[in-house]
């Protein structure tokens, strides 16, 4: 009974860690079990089965994390307080600077002060 509580606590602790650490922990647990079983049965290939179990456990952790994040996102997406506000139809400031009001044909390349030639009066 005490062993089950220790293992359950270990699994619970691994789930509460960040996602990256839980992936590493899952692979190490699988490798450790595979190493132990390969020593018990004196078969080297069982170690790779343990590694495979660890990788599968890491994939399961990713899937569970994705499901939890998806539920949280859906909950926040339906929250009316967080919904985007509709755009207002304000046409008061935008019309002043529209391109249709500007006459491009009257542009003179010499409009800048540094390029203007000084005009002198001829007497």
């Amino acid at each position: 009974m005490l062993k089950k509580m220790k293992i359950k606590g270990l699994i619970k602790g691994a789930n509460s860690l960040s996602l990256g650490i839980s992936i590493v922990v899952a692979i190490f647990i699988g490798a450790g079990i595979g190493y132990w079983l390969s020593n018990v049965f004196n078969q080297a290939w069982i170690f790779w089965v343990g590694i495979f179990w660890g990788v599968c456990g890491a994939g399961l952790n990713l899937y569970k994390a994705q499901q939890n994040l998806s539920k949280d996102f859906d909950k926040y997406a339906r929250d009316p307080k967080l919904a985007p506000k509709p755009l207002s139809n304000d046409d008061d400031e935008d019309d002043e600077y529209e391109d249709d009001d500007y006459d491009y044909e009257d542009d003179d390349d010499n409009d800048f002060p540094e390029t203007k030639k000084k005009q002198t009066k001829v007497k």
Side-chain angles (χ1 to χ4, degrees), residues 40-81:
V40 168
F41 294 112
N42 204 17
Q43 297 290 325
W45 61 270
I46 296 177
F47 172 73
W48 295 106
V49 172
I51 295 282
F52 177 74
W53 285 340
V55 170
C56 289
L60 184 62
N61 286 343
L62 284 172
Y63 177 75
K64 287 180 182 180
Q66 186 271 333
Q67 291 296 318
N68 288 336
L69 287 175
S70 178
K71 286 179 189 176
D72 289 343
F73 178 74
D74 290 341
K75 180 177 73 173
Y76 289 125
R78 284 185 253 120
D79 190 2
K81 292 179 185 176

Side-chain angles (χ1 to χ4, degrees), residues 2-116:
L2 186 59
K3 265 190 173 179
K4 276 190 176 184
M5 290 176 63
K6 284 184 180 180
I7 292 174
K8 199 171 196 177
L10 179 66
I11 292 171
K12 199 176 213 182
N15 284 337
S16 67
L17 294 174
S18 70
L19 186 59
I21 293 174
S22 71
I23 290 171
V24 172
V25 167
I27 293 173
F28 277 139
I29 289 173
I33 291 172
Y35 180 76
W36 178 72
L37 287 175
S38 69
N39 285 340
V40 168
F41 294 112
N42 204 17
Q43 297 290 325
W45 61 270
I46 296 177
F47 172 73
W48 295 106
V49 172
I51 295 282
F52 177 74
W53 285 340
V55 170
C56 289
L60 184 62
N61 286 343
L62 284 172
Y63 177 75
K64 287 180 182 180
Q66 186 271 333
Q67 291 296 318
N68 288 336
L69 287 175
S70 178
K71 286 179 189 176
D72 289 343
F73 178 74
D74 290 341
K75 180 177 73 173
Y76 289 125
R78 284 185 253 120
D79 190 2
K81 292 179 185 176
L82 301 174
K85 294 184 170 63
L87 297 174
S88 62
N89 293 329
D90 63 344
D91 289 336
D92 53 15
E93 296 175 4
D94 299 346
D95 293 338
E96 186 178 340
Y97 300 106
E98 285 188 9
D99 286 337
D100 296 338
D101 295 339
Y102 191 78
D103 189 12
Y104 291 103
E105 292 178 11
D106 292 340
D107 272 354
D108 190 13
D109 289 339
N110 295 325
D111 284 343
F112 299 104
E114 58 270 357
T115 60
K116 282 188 178 177

